[in-house]
Amino acid sequence: MSRRRLADRLSFARVRRLTRKLSLRTRVTIWATTAVAIATVAAGLGLLLGLKYSMWRDLDTTGRQRLSDVSALIRHDQLRSLIPSNGGDADVVEVLDASGKVRASSDYDTGPGSPSGFPNPLPPQVVAGRATTLHDLKIGDGGDFRVLARPTRVGDRPATIVVAVSLAQAEHTLSSLTTGLVIGVPALTALVAWTISLTAGHTLRPVETLRGQAADITATDLHRRLDLPDCQDEIHALGVTLNDMLARLDEASVAQRRFVADAAHELRSPLTALRAQLEVMSSYPDPDRDPQVAAALLEDVERLHDLVEGLLALARSEDPARPRSQAARVIDLDEVVLAEIRRQRSLARAEIDARRVSGGRVRGDAEALRCVVRNLLDNARRHAERHVRVALGESGGTVELTVSDDGSGIPAAERTRVFQRFTRLDEARSREAGGSGLGLAIVGKVVTAHGGVAYADQDPPLADGGLGGARLVVHLPAAPSPDLSDDPPPAPDGPKPV
């Protein structure tokens, strides 16, 4: 890179740094005015050059016409010492002999044999027949002229016809136009800058209003909304977007406060029970009673531990900054399901039917999906009478996991609410049943984070092959199958024994 180019880049970078410190209105005014000024100057120069070329061309046409007229006089032997005028006094015509003396002229003051006011010898470009501008000639009224020449013969002697057309009028016109542009362009640029500044200020005034109102909104009054401008333009769309964002923040803030209140309430109950039992043991020690109290305390501690684990799992599922390094792993969901079923069978009083579990591959976090399966099975195990049925299959690019029980089911009006935090519907789904109200909330959050959907439904009655209780369904996007073209064909999918 050349030093000059490097210096230009550094200068441009310095200008950009300086302009970044200015307000948007000022920057818009500067750049727009600069563009208009450059365009106006370019247009003015183009006008001047175009007008000059047009006027010079007309003058050259006049000069060539005079050359033709004088040549005709010579051919017809009508040339006299005074060449007749063409009706104007802006041109001078002279016929010069080989020594540069005047033989005939259109100027009354220049007689035959007198020295010519043209340079002697004539410039080569004039002799070659090209129109040329010569300055400060001592012919006519003097000044600048467009000069053309044509060699000829007068009688037996060589001669040259020289025509000069005055530039005085053309130069006066160009000078007047230049003066007008020198005065008009800055005035027009200033007017444009003023207009752009006013327009930009008027355009940006609603933005400043929105900014001021947004600056006044704090975390304690997220219910407030910005006043939208009347015009249905981009600024109105910006205001609508900001109001939507405030609405989402308000909803998140309300949900967060509700979550904190619910968590505090849920944690208070086991802690209060633990404290009361410990106070009784401390105040009234009893060797016969203490083992039973210790067992009850252990049960409460386990319940408290499950509640804290659920809160942590829910927090992790909602943390946007949590690393997603495991999100690209392909997981055999059937293996996760079967492993959790084996664990649950040692805890459940109900029978778990896994004959409908077949293959299903998804992409995601194995631990988070294991938590989903565990919570679904925990929920079904707690509320089932005698039977729990688990089904897993893949169809149409979707893996479907279904967990059904033969319990009391979930009312249709409550099937969406069960996926909210700390939701318990009735006495059967109470703290005493072992639930904290977080299991299905964690299921919903994790499934949504994996691009899926979870919902509750009613299982068909026994007469139709179902269990008649609640049916919880999870849909997850299926992972693409690996390329097995070089491997032997796999065995057909079917129910896997557990």
Side-chain angles (χ1 to χ4, degrees):
M1 183 184 298
S2 65
R3 292 184 178 179
R4 183 175 182 180
R5 183 176 299 179
L6 179 60
D8 293 341
R9 287 193 176 184
L10 292 175
S11 300
F12 182 72
R14 190 178 299 110
V15 171
R16 290 187 61 184
R17 285 196 300 270
L18 291 176
T19 55
R20 285 174 182 171
K21 299 179 181 179
L22 303 175
S23 65
L24 178 60
R25 176 180 180 179
T26 303
R27 293 203 305 271
V28 169
T29 302
I30 290 175
W31 290 114
T33 303
T34 301
V36 171
I38 293 174
T40 305
V41 171
L45 292 176
L47 177 62
L48 284 174
L49 294 176
L51 180 60
K52 179 179 179 180
Y53 173 78
S54 176
M55 296 175 69
W56 265 227
R57 183 180 58 188
D58 292 342
L59 295 177
D60 294 344
T61 300
T62 300
R64 291 189 180 91
Q65 183 60 44
R66 291 290 282 156
L67 285 175
S68 299
D69 293 343
V70 175
S71 297
L73 291 175
I74 294 175
R75 284 197 306 271
H76 295 87
D77 198 20
Q78 294 179 358
L79 182 65
R80 303 291 182 266
S81 60
L82 182 62
I83 300 174
S85 172
N86 63 348
D89 55 358
D91 58 270
V92 175
V93 183
E94 291 183 355
V95 179
L96 306 179
D97 57 19
S99 62
K101 296 299 182 63
V102 176
R103 296 196 59 173
S105 175
S106 62
D107 189 357
Y108 291 97
D109 298 331
T110 304
S114 60
S116 172
F118 293 102
N120 188 18
L122 292 171
Q125 60 270 28
V126 175
V127 176
R130 294 195 299 271
T132 306
T133 300
L134 299 181
H135 302 280
D136 299 326
L137 295 181
K138 305 302 183 183
I139 58 174
D141 295 332
D144 301 335
F145 291 82
R146 291 287 287 176
V147 179
L148 299 93
R150 178 181 298 174
T152 186
R153 297 186 71 85
V154 179
D156 297 338
R157 298 180 180 179
T160 302
I161 306 173
V162 184
V163 176
V165 183
S166 176
L167 294 175
Q169 185 61 39
E171 289 177 342
H172 177 72
T173 302
L174 292 176
S175 177
S176 300
L177 178 60
T178 302
T179 302
L181 291 175
V182 169
I183 297 175
V185 168
L188 177 62
T189 302
L191 178 62
V192 168
W194 179 72
T195 304
I196 292 174
S197 179
L198 287 182
T199 304
H202 179 73
T203 304
L204 295 175
R205 189 174 298 122
V207 177
E208 178 61 25
T209 302
L210 293 178
R211 187 204 63 79
Q213 293 178 356
D216 293 337
I217 296 177
T218 63
T220 59
D221 55 357
L222 290 174
H223 60 278
R224 292 176 53 188
R225 296 296 179 265
L226 306 179
D227 297 332
L228 300 179
D230 296 331
C231 298
Q232 302 293 321
D233 53 8
E234 291 82 356
I235 298 177
H236 183 275
L238 174 63
V240 171
T241 303
L242 291 175
N243 279 339
D244 291 342
M245 181 187 68
L246 288 173
R248 293 192 299 270
L249 291 175
D250 190 19
E251 292 175 2
S253 177
V254 172
Q256 187 69 22
R257 290 195 298 270
R258 186 184 303 119
F259 174 72
V260 172
D262 292 342
H265 178 73
E266 293 294 332
L267 291 172
R268 182 186 301 166
S269 298
L271 290 175
T272 302
L274 287 172
R275 179 177 179 179
Q277 295 183 67
L278 289 172
E279 287 176 350
V280 170
M281 289 180 63
S282 175
S283 301
Y284 306 99
D286 186 347
D288 296 331
R289 185 193 57 190
D290 288 349
Q292 289 80 12
V293 174
L297 290 175
L298 179 60
E299 182 180 350
D300 284 339
V301 169
E302 289 178 351
R303 176 181 155 201
L304 185 60
H305 175 270
D306 292 340
L307 179 58
V308 172
E309 288 295 324
L311 290 173
L312 290 176
L314 189 60
R316 283 195 297 266
S317 68
E318 296 179 337
D319 185 6
R322 187 184 176 206
R324 303 294 180 182
S325 57
Q326 297 182 344
R329 294 181 54 188
V330 177
I331 300 167
D332 291 320
L333 190 58
D334 53 317
E335 296 181 359
V336 176
V337 171
L338 295 176
E340 284 301 317
I341 289 176
R342 284 192 294 269
R343 191 184 73 87
Q344 291 282 343
R345 279 178 172 171
S346 63
L347 305 174
R349 67 179 185 275
E351 177 186 353
I352 301 178
D353 180 4
R355 290 176 296 176
R356 301 186 183 186
V357 176
S358 61
R361 295 167 61 87
V362 297
R363 287 185 179 274
D365 186 335
E367 186 60 35
L369 293 176
R370 185 175 293 108
C371 182
V372 168
V373 176
R374 182 181 302 128
N375 288 347
L376 291 174
L377 291 174
D378 281 342
N379 180 80
R381 175 177 57 82
R382 285 194 302 269
H383 308 302
E385 295 292 337
R386 290 187 301 170
H387 297 286
V388 174
R389 179 180 294 164
V390 181
L392 176 69
E394 180 177 341
S395 176
T398 300
V399 174
E400 181 181 271
L401 171 63
T402 303
V403 179
S404 307
D405 63 61
D406 60 351
S408 59
I410 302 174
E414 305 291 345
R415 290 173 187 169
T416 300
R417 198 166 68 88
V418 293
F419 290 97
Q420 298 177 2
R421 303 157 175 163
F422 303 110
T423 299
R424 299 182 185 87
L425 301 182
D426 50 36
E427 290 301 324
R429 298 174 183 270
S430 64
R431 291 186 181 90
E432 284 69 22
S436 64
L438 291 177
L440 295 184
I442 295 172
V443 169
K445 293 293 184 181
V446 172
V447 171
T448 301
H450 283 73
V453 61
Y455 62 92
D457 204 349
Q458 186 73 20
D459 208 46
L462 291 173
D464 296 333
L467 296 180
R471 181 162 66 100
L472 299 174
V473 184
V474 169
H475 287 169
L476 291 170
S481 300
D483 187 5
L484 301 177
S485 58
D486 298 333
D487 298 335
D493 289 338
K496 296 187 178 183
V498 180

